[in-house]
Amino acid sequence: MQNILVTGGAGFIGSAFVRHMIEKYPQYRIIVLDKLTYAGNLDNLLPVHDEPNFKFERGDIADREVVRRLIETERIDTIVNFAAESHVDRSILAPDAFIHTDVVGTYILLDEARLLGVNRIHHVSTDEVYGSIPEGFFKEGDPLQPNSPYSASKAGGEMMVRAYQVTYGLHTTVTRGSNTYGPYQYPEKVLPLFITEAIDNRPLPVYGDGMQVRDWLYVDDHASAIDLVLHEGRPGEIYNVGGENERHNIEITRLILKLLDKPESLIRFVADRPGHDRRYALACDKIKALGWQPSGDLETLMEKTVRWYEQNEWWWRKIKTGEYLEYYKRQYGQRLADATA
Ligand code: NAD
Ligand code: TYD
């Protein structure tokens, strides 16, 4: 491994992975390919921007010419694919971009890798491909039953990864991560949304009864798990990556308010998300057998996260303008108008 193409490296988890890799492996060259959609942000890469082993290229993973040129000119031997449309609520409002990037884009990467002889592809997937589980834990061999256009598009991409491994013998690995949190997360996902709204004393829209369960994974732990699978994972294998920190949404909401010293009167119960998965939970024995562990407990890492948003208003205030406000109005305007406290 020498020249690693990281797609979607200007997003939340991709940029954490790039920062991690640049610091840990000065001998690797990291080339980021990112379309810079609304969620892509070069500020996320500022800490590594001037490093000699870092390079950024703006482009679409579904654009075959761009992908081919980059693989050839940069002599890419490894691809790590983070690029995706990633927000469930946006996938419900407008699924098109999800099919384009998560399905077609993944296929283009696989196909160019095959044609140009790239040794290794790691695909970043999600626990949401399994669907919802009322009790127990999903294992890697369980059937996929995605319920949102987002999770269905991620499952579609994964199926292509599998087909390219089985049919063409591509060396692929997949990680299925759980709900990830930490610095530099676009403030549409529940944690950065609620933290930044609470800082401004604005209402927090909790969907339905707030009793849905998510498993929370700190972003640096997600990045280190992908690093480990890239180096130690077996070809063709899938690895669950969970934080082993299950919480009801309402508990997480109360924790954020407590850490910010804000009143619970900011909570609003609003109309539920259609098709809302009730619970996600992962069995993580397989990645643990490779030697991976989450780095800390949720309360400590959540506090660290909340303080980061408090101290980095420069990062999120400029995002919460323009297109963001249009999306916010579309997603929450009516919901908040009809809300119960
Ligand atoms: P994000 O939305 O913050 O970042 C996605 C990045 O991909 C952005 O920089 C965007 O500009 C880029 N991108 C989108 N379409 C592209 C295209 N066609 N070509 C090139 N770049 C494109 O997402 P994230 O939260 O960092 O998620 C990264 C990956 O991890 C995704 O594949 C997601 O499905 C997966 N994942 C996310 C979570 C989570 O909780 N956020 C959990 C598990 C898995
Ligand atoms: P989200 O961060 O969108 O991640 P995902 O849907 O991929 O799990 O949402 C996490 C949980 O929080 C999910 O159960 C939906 C819920 N949620 C709210 O209650 N209100 C909100 O405004 C958002 C964005 C999410």
Side-chain angles (χ1 to χ4, degrees), residues 52 62 70 79 114 117 150 182 218 222 224 268 326 332:
L70 211 52
I79 299 176
R114 168 179 78 92
Y150 163 65
Y218 191 64
H222 199 157
S224 71
R268 298 286 185 287
E326 278 165 41
Y332 298 106

Side-chain angles (χ1 to χ4, degrees), residues 8 10-14 33-37 39-41 59-62 81-86 100-101 124-127 150 154 177-180 185 188-189 222:
F12 165 51
I13 309 171
L33 172 64
D34 196 296
K35 191 178 178 180
L36 295 181
T37 65
N41 186 346
D60 187 337
I61 59 162
N81 180 30
F82 290 89
E85 289 292 333
S86 68
H100 173 83
T101 296
V124 181
S125 189
T126 163
D127 60 357
Y150 163 65
K154 291 296 293 183
S178 64
N179 280 65
T180 305
Q185 186 171 28
E188 64 187 352
K189 305 289 193 307
H222 199 157

Side-chain angles (χ1 to χ4, degrees), residues 144-333:
L144 305 191
Q145 296 188 307
N147 293 316
S148 71
Y150 163 65
S151 52
S153 72
K154 291 296 293 183
E158 258 203 56
M159 293 295 97
M160 288 309 286
V161 174
R162 176 186 161 86
Y164 270 67
Q165 196 271 325
V166 174
T167 304
Y168 302 111
L170 224 61
H171 179 162
T172 64
T173 45
V174 171
T175 43
R176 294 182 180 146
S178 64
N179 280 65
T180 305
Y181 68 101
Y184 301 102
Q185 186 171 28
Y186 191 86
E188 64 187 352
K189 305 289 193 307
V190 74
L191 268 167
L193 174 70
F194 282 11
I195 294 168
T196 56
E197 293 290 276
I199 287 173
D200 284 345
N201 301 305
R202 286 166 51 83
L204 308 188
V206 173
Y207 294 155
D209 62 3
M211 291 302 285
Q212 305 82 6
V213 174
R214 294 293 182 268
D215 169 50
W216 294 98
L217 171 65
Y218 191 64
V219 67
D220 292 348
D221 293 334
H222 199 157
S224 71
I226 294 168
D227 170 7
L228 182 65
V229 170
L230 201 55
H231 289 90
E232 308 288 340
R234 295 211 354 249
E237 293 293 319
I238 296 166
Y239 296 86
N240 285 344
V241 185
E244 301 191 317
N245 276 306
E246 279 184 56
R247 295 288 188 284
H248 292 106
N249 288 343
I250 191 68
E251 286 179 75
I252 288 289
T253 309
R254 293 202 173 107
L255 176 60
I256 291 169
L257 290 170
K258 188 169 145 227
L259 288 168
L260 287 168
D261 200 20
K262 300 285 182 179
E264 293 198 3
S265 57
L266 289 179
I267 295 172
R268 298 286 185 287
F269 290 96
V270 302
D272 208 348
R273 170 189 282 174
H276 197 169
D277 285 332
R278 197 73 181 162
R279 176 171 175 263
Y280 299 137
L282 294 175
C284 299
D285 317 79
K286 197 168 162 184
I287 187 150
K288 284 184 162 176
L290 290 184
W292 178 84
Q293 283 279 20
S295 65
D297 68 284
L298 178 118
E299 279 68 21
T300 310
L301 294 169
M302 195 70 81
E303 162 130 40
K304 188 170 159 183
T305 301
V306 166
R307 300 298 161 235
W308 188 87
Y309 288 93
E310 277 188 313
Q311 287 155 17
N312 289 280
E313 293 194 9
W314 70 273
W315 183 84
W316 57 266
R317 285 222 182 267
K318 61 183 171 194
I319 295 175
K320 290 184 134 190
T321 55
E323 192 275 345
Y324 178 90
L325 293 180
E326 278 165 41
Y327 164 74
Y328 183 91
K329 197 167 155 207
R330 211 169 151 206
Q331 181 63 22
Y332 298 106

